[in-house]
């Protein structure tokens, strides 16, 4: 049976059978006091209520902060929080891109682990290459996202990425050319050695000699 008078247990008014063995129909009531404080609200007033302010680009502004803050302070604080969150998400995206690149080549690394040194070297090389590829992909995505809102910054990022890719391409071609030049020099040396006539044989008959006789 349910008691009509409540039982006070753990800051609760308990209406029911037993607190440790509740049944359907038991009720537990608690009260909390919310202390008054000063808040600052940045919104649009519509009649007797506050609604989000719609910007010219379709965004919504509805900010609530504790204490007395001006509109500029609230906007600056919201902008700082948004910047931190944006860079955290960008870092997460970069890490995911790097991990995805390394995972794609994981079968090659596993196959190369037959020789421990070769597997470690290949894994290190793939990680370095993946860091560059992930930076290029992440930078391209960031630049495309900023192309409408910050075109100058977006074009600058794209230019830096193009220079970075061009620099790696130039270094790679330069190494190939140097390697090919060294190989051509070695081939020319071999051809010169093969085309030279053999050295003349020495005729021992025309050389003076002496013989010592002992008895």
């Amino acid at each position: 049976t349910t008691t009509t008078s409540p039982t006070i247990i753990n800051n609760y008014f308990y209406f029911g059978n037993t607190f440790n063995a509740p049944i359907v129909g038991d009720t537990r009531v608690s009260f909390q006091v919310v202390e008054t404080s000063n808040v600052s609200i940045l919104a649009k007033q519509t009649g007797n209520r506050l609604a989000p302010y719609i910007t010219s680009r379709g965004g919504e502004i509805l900010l609530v902060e504790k204490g007395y803050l001006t509109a500029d302070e609230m906007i600056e604080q919201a902008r700082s929080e948004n910047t931190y969150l944006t860079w955290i998400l960008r870092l997460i995206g970069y890490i995911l891109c790097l991990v995805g690149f390394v995972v794609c080549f994981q079968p090659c690394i596993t196959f190369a682990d037959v020789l421990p040194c070769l597997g470690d070297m290949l894994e290190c090389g793939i990680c370095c290459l993946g860091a560059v590829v992930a930076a290029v992909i992440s930078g391209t995505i960031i630049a495309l996202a900023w192309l409408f809102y910050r075109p100058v910054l977006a074009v600058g990022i794209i230019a830096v990425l193009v220079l970075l890719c061009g620099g790696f391409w130039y270094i790679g071609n330069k190494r190939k050319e140097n390697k090919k030049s060294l190989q051509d020099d070695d081939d020319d040396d071999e051809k010169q050695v093969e085309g030279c006539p053999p050295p003349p044989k020495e005729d021992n008959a025309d050389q003076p000699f002496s013989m010592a006789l002992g008895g």
Side-chain angles (χ1 to χ4, degrees), residues 92-106:
I92 293 175
Y94 172 80
I95 294 174
L96 291 177
C97 186
L98 174 60
V99 172
F101 183 87
V102 175
V103 169
C104 289
F105 289 91
Q106 192 63 37

Side-chain angles (χ1 to χ4, degrees), residues 167-181:
F168 279 104
W169 178 80
Y170 176 78
I171 293 173
N173 283 347
K174 197 69 176 178
R175 288 183 177 180
K176 289 181 180 180
E177 291 177 359
N178 293 336
K179 185 177 180 180
K180 185 178 180 181
S181 178

Side-chain angles (χ1 to χ4, degrees), residues 200-215:
K201 295 182 179 181
E202 296 181 354
D203 190 359
N204 295 330
D206 296 337
Q207 299 295 331
F209 66 92
S210 62
M211 179 179 296
L213 298 178

Side-chain angles (χ1 to χ4, degrees), residues 154-196:
V155 172
I157 294 176
I158 293 175
V160 171
L161 294 176
V162 170
L163 292 176
L164 180 63
C165 295
F168 279 104
W169 178 80
Y170 176 78
I171 293 173
N173 283 347
K174 197 69 176 178
R175 288 183 177 180
K176 289 181 180 180
E177 291 177 359
N178 293 336
K179 185 177 180 180
K180 185 178 180 181
S181 178
L182 292 175
Q183 186 175 2
D184 293 340
D185 293 340
D186 293 339
D187 294 340
D188 293 339
D189 293 340
E190 292 179 358
K191 291 180 180 179
Q192 291 178 1
V193 171
E194 292 177 355
C196 291

Side-chain angles (χ1 to χ4, degrees), residues 85-97 138 142:
L85 178 60
T86 301
W87 280 107
I88 290 174
L89 293 177
R90 287 170 184 165
L91 180 60
I92 293 175
Y94 172 80
I95 294 174
L96 291 177
C97 186
S138 300
I142 293 172

